[in-house]
Structure formats: C-alpha cells, structure tokens
Amino acid sequence: MPDFLDIDRLPADDLRAILDAARRMKDARAGRPKGAADDEAALAGRVVALVFEKPSTRTRVSFDVGVRQMGGQTLVLSGAEMQLGAGESVADTARVLSRFVDLVMIRTFDPAALEELAHHATVPVINGLTDRSHPCQIMADVMTYEEHRGPIAGRKVVWCGDGNNVFASFAHGAARFGYSLVFAGPEALDPDPEIVAEMRAEGAEIAVERDAARAVEGADLVVTDTWVSMHDAPETKEERHSLLAPYRVDEALMARAAPDALFMHCLPAHRGEEATDAVLDGPASVIFDEAENRLHAQKAILRWCLGV
C-alpha cells in the first residue's frame, strides 16, 4: 500500500489528484456541522493510529476530525505511551501496529524513525512531520493558494526565515507543482543543501537571497514560520532572534510583494517576532484558511493511501 512520506516521492499527477479530491470533499461539506459524517463513509470500519512524539494542535485535531468525518476511528498514542524506539524497536512497533490498525500517521523528531516504521509496516504510513520535512502542510498550503488565486504553477513563492523542515517540503513542492521558490534568510540557517540540490536537479527553480526586500519583490506568496521550533535548544533563542530579525515580515516588506500577494504561516505564530500582527491579521493573510485546509488535504491523503 502507498505511503505518504514526502512530496518528492510522489509523481505530480498523484499529488494533483489528492488536491482535487480535497477540494471536492471541502466543497461537499459547505454549511454542514463539523461533526457531520461525509456523504461517502470512505473510512467506515477503518482504524487509524495517530502517533505523536511531538506535541501538536493542528495535526492532531485535523487528522482526528478527518478520520471521524469519513466514518473511521482513531487511536491516539503519545511517544511516552509507546516508548517508540526505546522500550521496543521501531521495527517491532511497526509490525505490531500493522496487526491492529489500517494506517499509521506519525509525528516524530527523527526522520530515520519514520523511514524504519514505513519499511516494516504492512499498512500505509503518513508523515505528520519530522525534523526534515512536513509534507502535509505544503499540500494544504498549495490548496489554499489555489483556492484564492488559481494555479500555483509559475508563481513566485518567497520563504522568509529559517531553512527548516517546512521549507524543505516547499522545495519538494517546487519540483512537483512548478512554482519558483526563493529562500530569504541568514546563511547560518540555510536549508539543507542536499535537498536544494536534489530538487534543482529535478527541475525546481530555487534561489537564495540574503536581502529580504529584494527577495520579496514581486512575490505571489510570502511564507514564514516560527523562529524557535520545539526541538531547538532554549539557549539558542537569543542568537536565532538576532539572525532572523532582518527577515521579519511586516507591512513594509509585504508592500514589496505583488499587489495580490498572499501571506502564509503554518502556525503557531509568535506574534511580533517572525511576523507582525498587521500582517498576520491583514488582508493578505490566509493563515486560518491554511490551517483549515490541513483537514481537507489530509482526508484526501488518507483516502489515497487506503485506495478508497
């Protein structure tokens, strides 16, 4: 059965089919109560394990609600409850879970744990986030851009800040969805050069610009993320803030983007740090549409994995 581990592992046609399905399901729910079941109970009789080594709000709620809306059941497990890779090997955990559930979604730190789980599981595995990538987020982001502005192919996407796991998935997306991508951030926090090189080799247009104002010029989409992630050491906070301050997204920076540019942030936002309130709550911001679309995009991913 197919896994959903990273965007660059899937052909563009499959990714487009997933987004088309997500849009259809979202449209079909218009005006219905949040807890109402979909007309098509695609996951009836299915059990999905949601494994969290990292804390979560949007990932946990969106996957849990999505499975329930499609008639399935969820089993939510924390890393402490499972002792993943500590009390039991990841491989054995994968084999055991595969006997009880129909699919595993995991949000973890180490990408190697995701790979090992997927290798040994006999049911599909979805990457809910690792320190390397966050593919479900970018599927929701592309969906959000396209429902507001049409096809993202040929558009200019600018990332301001840290070259982190979310940027990595944006780089994967550039190779599959055909947008150009500019990284605007300090050299000390550059994205993984291997990922950038691989995606360029696959035809992605990815540039690096140290000056945020030049980077954002004419952008169709401006994206940022929190400056201090949950896996960053607390003692690095001051240093990271100093490095990233020139890349704060404020009204002056957004004014350099295209007149109809959108602003995204995967949340949670530290208001006044990576972006100002005026931008987060401004007319270009689609951050809460973006958050909602995690639900719809992931429902489509679940169905794609299970072939239903």
Side-chain angles (χ1 to χ4, degrees), residues 14 44-45 49 105 136 145 160 179 186 198 200 235 245 249 290 294:
D14 281 16
M105 187 290 303
C136 292
Y145 184 87
C160 292
Y179 52 81
E198 287 174 354
R200 283 173 172 164
E235 59 270 19
V249 183
E290 183 187 2
R294 289 286 302 277

Side-chain angles (χ1 to χ4, degrees), residues 159-163 182-191 208-212 215 243-244 247:
W159 175 275
C160 292
D162 178 12
V182 180
F183 170 78
E187 185 176 2
L189 298 175
D190 269 353
V208 174
E209 173 57 67
R210 300 300 174 201
D211 184 279
L243 287 169
L244 290 164
Y247 302 96

